[in-house]
Tab-separated table of all heavy atoms in Angstrom:
chain	number	residue	atom	x	y	z
A	15	ALA	N	157.697	30.327	150.739
A	15	ALA	CA	157.406	31.046	149.494
A	15	ALA	C	156.294	32.074	149.684
A	15	ALA	O	155.307	31.825	150.369
A	15	ALA	CB	157.004	30.066	148.400
A	16	ASP	N	156.462	33.242	149.044
A	16	ASP	CA	155.392	34.227	148.990
A	16	ASP	C	154.313	33.690	148.048
A	16	ASP	O	154.623	32.996	147.075
A	16	ASP	CB	155.913	35.561	148.454
A	16	ASP	CG	156.961	36.191	149.365
A	16	ASP	OD1	157.028	35.817	150.560
A	16	ASP	OD2	157.709	37.053	148.884
A	17	MET	N	153.052	34.021	148.336
A	17	MET	CA	151.936	33.498	147.548
A	17	MET	C	151.047	34.630	147.051
A	17	MET	O	150.714	35.540	147.814
A	17	MET	CB	151.051	32.578	148.404
A	17	MET	CG	151.746	31.382	148.960
A	17	MET	SD	151.783	30.089	147.732
A	17	MET	CE	152.368	28.729	148.725
A	18	ASN	N	150.667	34.561	145.783
A	18	ASN	CA	149.601	35.415	145.273
A	18	ASN	C	148.301	34.709	145.613
A	18	ASN	O	148.158	33.509	145.363
A	18	ASN	CB	149.710	35.613	143.760
A	18	ASN	CG	150.765	36.625	143.398
A	18	ASN	OD1	150.894	37.653	144.057
A	18	ASN	ND2	151.533	36.335	142.362
A	19	VAL	N	147.353	35.442	146.195
A	19	VAL	CA	146.097	34.853	146.633
A	19	VAL	C	144.964	35.401	145.776
A	19	VAL	O	144.876	36.613	145.541
A	19	VAL	CB	145.845	35.154	148.128
A	19	VAL	CG1	144.520	34.581	148.584
A	19	VAL	CG2	146.989	34.613	148.973
A	20	TYR	N	144.097	34.488	145.308
A	20	TYR	CA	142.970	34.834	144.455
A	20	TYR	C	141.692	34.267	145.051
A	20	TYR	O	141.716	33.228	145.714
A	20	TYR	CB	143.143	34.231	143.050
A	20	TYR	CG	144.389	34.659	142.332
A	20	TYR	CD1	145.584	33.966	142.505
A	20	TYR	CD2	144.375	35.752	141.474
A	20	TYR	CE1	146.736	34.359	141.847
A	20	TYR	CE2	145.533	36.143	140.807
A	20	TYR	CZ	146.706	35.440	140.998
A	20	TYR	OH	147.847	35.833	140.347
A	21	ALA	N	140.570	34.935	144.764
A	21	ALA	CA	139.243	34.393	145.043
A	21	ALA	C	138.611	34.127	143.680
A	21	ALA	O	138.731	34.953	142.763
A	21	ALA	CB	138.404	35.374	145.838
A	22	ALA	N	137.961	32.978	143.532
A	22	ALA	CA	137.382	32.615	142.245
A	22	ALA	C	135.924	32.222	142.402
A	22	ALA	O	135.557	31.508	143.336
A	22	ALA	CB	138.165	31.463	141.625
A	23	ARG	N	135.117	32.725	141.482
A	23	ARG	CA	133.684	32.405	141.447
A	23	ARG	C	133.310	32.188	139.995
A	23	ARG	O	133.506	33.070	139.159
A	23	ARG	CB	132.897	33.561	142.030
A	23	ARG	CG	131.415	33.382	141.990
A	23	ARG	CD	130.746	34.565	142.642
A	23	ARG	NE	129.714	35.048	141.752
A	23	ARG	CZ	128.960	36.083	142.006
A	23	ARG	NH1	129.158	36.777	143.101
A	23	ARG	NH2	128.036	36.440	141.186
A	24	SER	N	132.788	31.026	139.683
A	24	SER	CA	132.464	30.649	138.305
A	24	SER	C	133.715	30.827	137.451
A	24	SER	O	134.742	30.274	137.758
A	24	SER	CB	131.297	31.472	137.767
A	24	SER	OG	130.173	31.295	138.580
A	25	ALA	N	133.639	31.641	136.412
A	25	ALA	CA	134.802	31.848	135.539
A	25	ALA	C	135.579	33.105	135.929
A	25	ALA	O	136.553	33.461	135.285
A	25	ALA	CB	134.340	31.955	134.096
A	26	GLN	N	135.174	33.765	136.999
A	26	GLN	CA	135.808	35.011	137.430
A	26	GLN	C	136.856	34.728	138.499
A	26	GLN	O	136.594	34.037	139.470
A	26	GLN	CB	134.735	35.951	137.994
A	26	GLN	CG	135.237	37.301	138.396
A	26	GLN	CD	134.107	38.171	138.946
A	26	GLN	OE1	133.044	37.690	139.290
A	26	GLN	NE2	134.363	39.458	139.032
A	27	ARG	N	138.066	35.285	138.318
A	27	ARG	CA	139.147	35.136	139.289
A	27	ARG	C	139.683	36.525	139.615
A	27	ARG	O	140.049	37.272	138.711
A	27	ARG	CB	140.252	34.258	138.704
A	27	ARG	CG	141.379	33.998	139.664
A	27	ARG	CD	142.297	32.956	139.103
A	27	ARG	NE	143.515	33.586	138.628
A	27	ARG	CZ	144.673	32.964	138.495
A	27	ARG	NH1	144.757	31.679	138.755
A	27	ARG	NH2	145.730	33.603	138.073
A	28	VAL	N	139.712	36.853	140.914
A	28	VAL	CA	140.131	38.182	141.345
A	28	VAL	C	141.328	38.046	142.269
A	28	VAL	O	141.280	37.298	143.253
A	28	VAL	CB	138.974	38.902	142.082
A	28	VAL	CG1	139.427	40.249	142.610
A	28	VAL	CG2	137.770	39.054	141.171
A	29	ARG	N	142.406	38.781	141.968
A	29	ARG	CA	143.591	38.766	142.827
A	29	ARG	C	143.308	39.580	144.074
A	29	ARG	O	142.893	40.733	143.995
A	29	ARG	CB	144.800	39.338	142.089
A	29	ARG	CG	146.079	39.267	142.902
A	29	ARG	CD	147.274	39.774	142.080
A	29	ARG	NE	148.512	39.623	142.818
A	29	ARG	CZ	149.011	40.549	143.633
A	29	ARG	NH1	148.378	41.687	143.827
A	29	ARG	NH2	150.150	40.327	144.265
A	30	LEU	N	143.527	38.973	145.234
A	30	LEU	CA	143.324	39.654	146.501
A	30	LEU	C	144.595	40.332	146.982
A	30	LEU	O	144.543	41.353	147.649
A	30	LEU	CB	142.829	38.671	147.560
A	30	LEU	CG	141.521	37.944	147.218
A	30	LEU	CD1	141.168	36.954	148.317
A	30	LEU	CD2	140.395	38.931	146.981
A	31	GLY	N	145.752	39.744	146.655
A	31	GLY	CA	147.020	40.332	147.056
A	31	GLY	C	148.084	39.272	147.249
A	31	GLY	O	147.913	38.118	146.880
A	32	MET	N	149.209	39.698	147.852
A	32	MET	CA	150.338	38.808	148.069
A	32	MET	C	150.488	38.527	149.560
A	32	MET	O	150.482	39.438	150.375
A	32	MET	CB	151.612	39.453	147.527
A	32	MET	CG	152.795	38.501	147.409
A	32	MET	SD	153.912	38.533	148.814
A	32	MET	CE	154.517	40.184	148.787
A	33	ALA	N	150.586	37.238	149.883
A	33	ALA	CA	150.782	36.802	151.269
A	33	ALA	C	152.246	36.390	151.420
A	33	ALA	O	152.668	35.360	150.883
A	33	ALA	CB	149.866	35.634	151.600
A	34	PRO	N	153.040	37.189	152.139
A	34	PRO	CA	154.455	36.840	152.328
A	34	PRO	C	154.614	35.532	153.098
A	34	PRO	O	153.751	35.163	153.900
A	34	PRO	CB	155.021	38.008	153.135
A	34	PRO	CG	154.013	39.098	153.050
A	34	PRO	CD	152.700	38.444	152.799
A	35	GLY	N	155.722	34.853	152.854
A	35	GLY	CA	156.013	33.619	153.572
A	35	GLY	C	156.165	33.866	155.068
A	35	GLY	O	156.546	34.951	155.494
A	36	ASN	N	155.833	32.855	155.860
A	36	ASN	CA	155.957	32.904	157.320
A	36	ASN	C	155.250	34.101	157.941
A	36	ASN	O	155.796	34.780	158.815
A	36	ASN	CB	157.435	32.896	157.744
A	36	ASN	CG	158.124	31.636	157.298
A	36	ASN	OD1	157.595	30.544	157.477
A	36	ASN	ND2	159.284	31.782	156.706
A	37	SER	N	154.033	34.386	157.482
A	37	SER	CA	153.289	35.514	158.038
A	37	SER	C	151.788	35.287	157.873
A	37	SER	O	151.359	34.390	157.155
A	37	SER	CB	153.690	36.816	157.357
A	37	SER	OG	153.291	36.791	156.008
A	38	THR	N	151.017	36.115	158.546
A	38	THR	CA	149.560	36.089	158.424
A	38	THR	C	149.123	37.411	157.813
A	38	THR	O	149.546	38.477	158.250
A	38	THR	CB	148.901	35.895	159.800
A	38	THR	OG1	149.343	34.645	160.342
A	38	THR	CG2	147.392	35.883	159.693
A	39	THR	N	148.280	37.328	156.787
A	39	THR	CA	147.811	38.498	156.059
A	39	THR	C	146.295	38.417	155.932
A	39	THR	O	145.755	37.332	155.718
A	39	THR	CB	148.439	38.552	154.653
A	39	THR	OG1	149.852	38.362	154.764
A	39	THR	CG2	148.168	39.861	153.963
A	40	VAL	N	145.610	39.555	156.044
A	40	VAL	CA	144.160	39.595	155.880
A	40	VAL	C	143.828	40.425	154.647
A	40	VAL	O	144.321	41.544	154.486
A	40	VAL	CB	143.470	40.195	157.130
A	40	VAL	CG1	141.963	40.269	156.925
A	40	VAL	CG2	143.804	39.389	158.370
A	41	PHE	N	142.997	39.845	153.774
A	41	PHE	CA	142.565	40.518	152.548
A	41	PHE	C	141.053	40.687	152.589
A	41	PHE	O	140.341	39.837	153.112
A	41	PHE	CB	142.913	39.685	151.301
A	41	PHE	CG	144.371	39.394	151.148
A	41	PHE	CD1	144.869	38.143	151.422
A	41	PHE	CD2	145.246	40.383	150.727
A	41	PHE	CE1	146.213	37.857	151.281
A	41	PHE	CE2	146.598	40.101	150.590
A	41	PHE	CZ	147.079	38.838	150.861
A	42	THR	N	140.571	41.783	152.001
A	42	THR	CA	139.137	41.988	151.847
A	42	THR	C	138.708	41.411	150.509
A	42	THR	O	139.323	41.684	149.476
A	42	THR	CB	138.802	43.490	151.890
A	42	THR	OG1	139.201	43.998	153.164
A	42	THR	CG2	137.320	43.730	151.698
A	43	VAL	N	137.653	40.593	150.536
A	43	VAL	CA	137.090	40.045	149.303
A	43	VAL	C	136.209	41.144	148.703
A	43	VAL	O	135.378	41.721	149.409
A	43	VAL	CB	136.266	38.772	149.589
A	43	VAL	CG1	135.638	38.247	148.313
A	43	VAL	CG2	137.140	37.705	150.242
A	44	PRO	N	136.389	41.476	147.419
A	44	PRO	CA	135.593	42.545	146.815
A	44	PRO	C	134.095	42.274	146.969
A	44	PRO	O	133.636	41.149	146.735
A	44	PRO	CB	135.997	42.513	145.337
A	44	PRO	CG	137.336	41.866	145.320
A	44	PRO	CD	137.327	40.888	146.456
A	45	PRO	N	133.324	43.299	147.375
A	45	PRO	CA	131.891	43.116	147.589
A	45	PRO	C	131.150	42.597	146.355
A	45	PRO	O	130.174	41.866	146.483
A	45	PRO	CB	131.396	44.520	147.959
A	45	PRO	CG	132.596	45.267	148.394
A	45	PRO	CD	133.764	44.659	147.686
A	46	GLY	N	131.614	42.940	145.172
A	46	GLY	CA	130.968	42.467	143.946
A	46	GLY	C	131.106	40.967	143.737
A	46	GLY	O	130.389	40.378	142.933
A	47	LEU	N	132.009	40.348	144.455
A	47	LEU	CA	132.241	38.909	144.319
A	47	LEU	C	131.337	38.092	145.246
A	47	LEU	O	131.088	36.927	145.003
A	47	LEU	CB	133.710	38.606	144.625
A	47	LEU	CG	134.318	37.352	144.042
A	47	LEU	CD1	134.203	37.335	142.527
A	47	LEU	CD2	135.772	37.244	144.434
A	48	VAL	N	130.848	38.731	146.317
A	48	VAL	CA	130.017	38.042	147.306
A	48	VAL	C	128.660	38.720	147.381
A	48	VAL	O	128.567	39.878	147.757
A	48	VAL	CB	130.673	38.065	148.708
A	48	VAL	CG1	129.811	37.339	149.711
A	48	VAL	CG2	132.060	37.468	148.669
A	49	SER	N	127.616	37.976	146.993
A	49	SER	CA	126.251	38.506	147.101
A	49	SER	C	125.385	37.399	147.688
A	49	SER	O	125.186	36.370	147.073
A	49	SER	CB	125.724	38.959	145.741
A	49	SER	OG	125.762	37.893	144.826
A	50	GLY	N	124.939	37.605	148.911
A	50	GLY	CA	124.197	36.553	149.594
A	50	GLY	C	125.129	35.386	149.862
A	50	GLY	O	126.321	35.553	150.078
């Protein structure tokens, strides 16, 4: 199955993208989501 991938922090959830089945995908986490 293809997967929608999200990063979540507190009550905030950000869609990173879609990861197709049987594959490897790299997503960038938005800089505003990671501080320290």
Side-chain angles (χ1 to χ4, degrees):
D16 296 341
M17 299 277 190
N18 282 319
V19 178
Y20 302 87
R23 177 178 130 181
S24 302
Q26 184 180 16
R27 183 171 105 157
V28 176
R29 184 176 184 271
L30 302 177
M32 193 265 297
N36 298 313
S37 66
T38 299
T39 311
V40 178
F41 301 105
T42 299
V43 178
L47 204 57
V48 181
S49 57

